[in-house]
Amino acid sequence: MQPNILFYFTDQQRADTLGCYGQKLDISPNLDELAQEGVLFENAFTAQPVCGPCRAMFQTGRYPTEINCYRNGQPLPDDVKTVADYMNEAGYDAAYVGKWHLASCRDSYEEPPVIDYECRAIPPERRGGYRGFWRVSDVLEATSHGYDGYVFDEEMQKREFKGYRVDCITDFALEYLEQYKGEKPFFLTISHIEPHHQNDRKCYEGPDGSKQRL
């Protein structure tokens, strides 16, 4: 029987903020328990620590410069094989919850996106091979703040949430687990934005239905 895989990903979190890596204060009991029962990498490095490039590396196993994802605002190429593709081939159900940051395209942060999914649903062809359960915002800090916001599901429908964002994103993952029937092993990614710093790039719907930013 193939094992189920839960990939739990936080954003901009240093190792010394976690008890499993030596932090003396009891501030990460749940993550410490996951580390104790799962896989804990004790000697790991990133080729690029910035959000989008790092995520591109996780999804493809390739250097960000090799696939033109060397900075934020560079979408994942359509022809690159991803971990979701490999998991699909191995008979897994690949699901994703949280922040994606690999669909929109920006020439610069002073200009509007050239390809804009920052406040919109990401179409299936830009989901990196994830074909099933999907509760995702391309730029979660643009569609939410610490205590409310929205993501989109696999049918491209908006899913609003109220409450502490970490809890709400985790609840979406629990939604997947509650409906999971065990027909296939699962590969579930939970991609939080926290403890990433907050910003004010919040999206809202204008009077004419257009997506705008504060």
Side-chain angles (χ1 to χ4, degrees):
M1 179 65 182
Q2 295 168 296
N4 295 320
I5 301 172
L6 173 65
F7 180 42
Y8 195 90
F9 181 48
T10 58
D11 200 328
Q12 289 192 357
Q13 185 158 24
R14 301 196 320 255
D16 62 1
T17 64
L18 297 170
C20 56
Y21 287 115
Q23 170 57 248
K24 301 300 183 184
L25 299 176
D26 186 23
I27 58 175
S28 56
N30 295 319
L31 295 180
D32 297 340
E33 185 175 349
L34 283 175
Q36 185 176 7
E37 297 179 1
V39 177
L40 176 67
F41 294 96
E42 295 183 342
N43 193 24
F45 305 89
T46 178
Q48 230 287 16
V50 176
C51 184
C54 184
R55 292 166 186 273
M57 182 181 62
F58 277 142
Q59 294 302 319
T60 65
R62 297 170 65 176
Y63 286 110
T65 50
E66 186 182 1
I67 54 174
N68 199 43
C69 291
Y70 58 90
R71 62 169 172 81
N72 284 338
Q74 298 290 341
L76 200 64
D78 295 335
D79 59 350
V80 173
K81 195 168 185 177
T82 67
V83 64
D85 293 322
Y86 285 106
M87 288 296 176
N88 291 330
E89 290 176 1
Y92 276 75
D93 184 35
Y96 198 101
V97 172
K99 181 178 176 179
W100 181 240
H101 213 175
L102 290 171
S104 301
C105 179
R106 278 180 172 270
D107 289 335
S108 76
Y109 274 87
E110 286 71 40
E111 301 292 333
V114 178
I115 303 171
D116 189 0
Y117 298 106
E118 293 187 357
C119 303
R120 297 164 48 212
I122 302 169
E125 66 270 17
R126 290 190 172 270
R127 297 177 189 172
Y130 292 89
R131 302 170 186 168
F133 191 90
W134 179 262
R135 300 288 184 272
V136 176
S137 170
D138 191 36
V139 183
L140 189 56
E141 59 267 45
T143 65
S144 65
H145 55 68
Y147 286 89
D148 65 50
Y150 59 90
V151 295
F152 296 93
D153 66 17
E154 60 273 5
E155 303 297 332
M156 301 183 69
Q157 298 300 306
K158 181 187 285 188
R159 295 294 191 97
E160 297 186 359
F161 59 84
K162 293 286 185 182
Y164 185 41
R165 180 168 52 195
V166 172
D167 290 341
C168 295
I169 295 301
T170 302
D171 284 343
F172 286 129
L174 292 174
E175 179 188 348
Y176 172 77
L177 295 175
E178 287 165 359
Q179 58 88 54
Y180 173 68
K181 293 181 172 56
E183 297 171 356
K184 294 181 178 181
F186 67 76
F187 173 68
L188 170 61
T189 296
I190 304 175
S191 176
H192 286 295
I193 180 176
E194 280 77 14
H196 190 296
H197 67 282
Q198 304 300 302
N199 57 34
D200 59 358
R201 292 176 56 236
K202 185 79 161 54
C203 297
Y204 73 100
E205 194 167 289
D208 59 354
S210 62
K211 300 300 181 185
Q212 304 178 37
R213 290 176 182 79
L214 295 174

